[in-house]
Amino acid sequence: MPMTPTEDPGAEDFARLADPFRRELTAHCYRMLGSVHDAEDLVQETYLRAWRAYDRFEGRSSLRAWLHRIATRVCLTALEGRARRPMPTGLGGPGDPDEGPVRRHETPWLEPAPDALVEAGEDDPAAVVLSRESIRLAFVAALQHLPPRQQAVLILRDVLGWRAAEVAETVGVSTAAVNSLLQRARDRIATAAPREEDVTGPSTAEQRDLLDRYMAAFEAKDVAAIVALFTDDAIWEMPPFLTWYAGRDAIARHLARVCPARPGDLRLLRISANGQPGVAQYLRDPAAGVFRPFNLQVLTLTPAGRIGHCATFLDTRLFAIFDLPQTLPARSR
C-alpha cells in the first residue's frame, strides 16, 4: 500500500517522490528474499526507514539509488540466520514416478511473483526486457544459492548497473572485495541460471495458442496432449514436494497416476508470473458444486514453442497474492 501523507509537508513530499519506485523496490527485495510476502514487508520497512531519515537526505545520489541502498541493507539484515528459499531441483536429483508417493518437505520454498507487482512499467521497453529477465523464476532460484553479500553485489552490479564504489558503500566492503564477490557470484550462477537463448519464448500469438492447447488438454485430462507440448528433456517440479521429474515420459506417468483430477475436474485461468506465462488451476469440489484453488503453474517456453519447465506451486495462499478468485462456478451444461 502507498505511503499515507500526513499534515507534515515533508512527509507529503516524500510520499509523492518515493511511491513511483515501489514496484522496482519490491522486485529488488523479491530477488533477494525469494518471497513476495517477505518482499512487501521489507519494502514497507524500507519506506518507513527512508521517511524517518528523509530530512537528512542530502541528495548526493538520486532518491531512487538512496531507496535501493536502504532496501539492500534491510534485506541483508533480514537474511541473517534465515534459511534460503530453494526449488526442488536445487536440492537433489530427479525422481521416478514408479518409486512410490512424492515426498513432501516442509521448508520455506521460493514463491512465484505476479508481474503486476515486480515488472517494470511499459514506458521504457529496454527496462521492461531487463526487468523481465531479472525476475525469471530460474534466475531468482539461482540467486537463492548465493551467500547474501554475493547476491546483493550481483544484483546491484549486473541488474541495477551500479558502479563498484556505490556497491561497496552499500554492502560495507571495499571496492576490491566487491569485484571479488561479483566474480564468485557470476561463476556460481552461471551453472544454475539458464542461458537467454534457451528460454526466449515464442511470439505473443504463438504463446497464446500454446497456452490455449495446454489449458484445454488439462481440463480434458488428456495426458498425451499435455506432454506433447513439452520438450523431451522438460522438467516438472512442485513445491512443497521434494520430488521432481525430468523428461516427458516421467511427467506423463506422474500426471496419469498422481494427479487427482478426472476429465472435467479442472478449470484453468491464465496468469503472468516472473515475466513468464502461467496458469492457475482450480479443482472441482463436488460437495459445494464449485471449483477451488489447486495450484499455480509458471511455464518456461523455448524458442521452438514448447514447454521446457513447469514449476507447479501447491501453496493455495498464493492465489490471493495474484488477486485470483477463491472459487470458480461450475460450468453450466
Side-chain angles (χ1 to χ4, degrees):
M1 57 186 293
M3 294 294 295
T4 303
T6 70
E7 295 181 359
D8 179 358
E12 292 185 9
D13 184 48
F14 171 76
R16 176 180 59 82
L17 295 172
D19 274 343
F21 302 110
R22 181 172 294 272
R23 183 181 288 189
E24 62 180 273
L25 288 169
T26 302
H28 182 58
C29 294
Y30 168 69
R31 292 184 195 102
M32 293 195 66
L33 274 297
S35 164
V36 178
H37 295 89
D38 291 347
E40 291 187 316
D41 289 344
L42 294 183
V43 169
Q44 285 297 99
E45 175 66 20
T46 295
Y47 274 101
L48 181 59
R49 292 190 186 187
W51 176 47
R52 287 172 174 168
Y54 187 54
D55 61 340
R56 301 189 298 278
F57 175 55
E58 299 175 350
R60 290 185 298 166
S61 64
S62 67
L63 180 64
R64 174 178 180 266
W66 185 62
L67 290 170
H68 273 282
R69 184 172 292 115
I70 295 172
T72 300
R73 291 169 177 167
V74 167
C75 288
L76 288 173
T77 299
L79 287 169
E80 292 177 0
R82 179 181 296 196
R84 311 312 297 277
R85 289 180 174 269
M87 288 290 284
T89 47
L91 298 179
D96 184 339
D98 296 328
E99 290 182 349
V102 292
R103 294 174 292 158
R104 192 179 185 97
H105 190 58
E106 298 302 336
T107 190
W109 294 101
L110 179 65
E111 296 176 352
D115 285 357
L117 285 180
V118 297
E119 196 169 85
E122 297 181 358
D123 55 327
D124 185 349
V128 171
V129 172
L130 177 60
S131 168
R132 189 168 293 153
E133 293 302 320
S134 68
I135 59 169
R136 279 190 174 276
L137 198 65
F139 179 72
V140 179
L143 287 174
Q144 303 310 301
H145 293 278
L146 298 178
R149 278 187 173 176
Q150 282 188 29
Q151 188 185 57
V153 166
L154 181 76
I155 294 169
L156 293 174
R157 289 284 281 135
D158 287 358
V159 176
L160 298 183
W162 284 22
R163 292 181 292 108
E166 295 174 303
V167 177
E169 181 184 355
T170 299
V171 179
V173 297
S174 68
T175 301
V178 164
N179 294 330
S180 176
L181 288 167
L182 178 62
Q183 188 57 55
R184 292 203 298 273
R186 285 173 175 170
D187 290 345
R188 292 186 65 174
I189 206 168
T191 62
R195 296 177 302 172
E196 183 177 349
E197 61 267 26
D198 292 335
V199 297
T200 302
S203 69
T204 301
E206 293 170 324
Q207 185 180 108
R208 187 180 304 113
D209 176 67
L210 177 62
L211 281 181
D212 284 344
R213 287 183 286 146
Y214 185 76
M215 293 166 70
F218 252 107
E219 291 184 351
K221 188 62 183 299
D222 186 340
V223 173
I226 294 170
V227 297
L229 301 175
F230 284 83
T231 61
D232 290 339
D233 58 352
I235 299 297
W236 178 285
E237 54 186 332
M238 44 197 169
F241 293 103
L242 191 62
T243 306
W244 59 278
Y245 302 113
R248 284 197 293 195
D249 179 64
I251 295 171
R253 283 181 285 145
H254 165 73
L255 291 174
R257 301 175 185 182
V258 178
C259 180
R262 298 169 299 175
D265 279 351
L266 289 174
R267 288 192 63 182
L268 278 70
L269 298 179
R270 296 174 183 272
I271 63 170
S272 186
N274 295 83
Q276 301 169 232
V279 295
Q281 292 197 350
Y282 290 77
L283 183 64
R284 183 196 302 274
D285 180 347
V290 297
F291 289 79
R292 300 193 185 279
F294 180 37
N295 65 59
L296 298 180
Q297 295 184 347
V298 181
L299 306 175
T300 301
L301 307 186
T302 69
R306 289 288 184 268
I307 300 168
H309 186 280
C310 177
T312 299
F313 296 90
L314 290 150
D315 183 354
T316 56
R317 293 173 299 178
L318 293 169
F319 277 63
I321 288 290
F322 280 77
D323 198 25
L324 290 164
Q326 289 302 303
T327 61
L328 292 179
R331 288 194 175 97
S332 57
R333 296 183 181 274

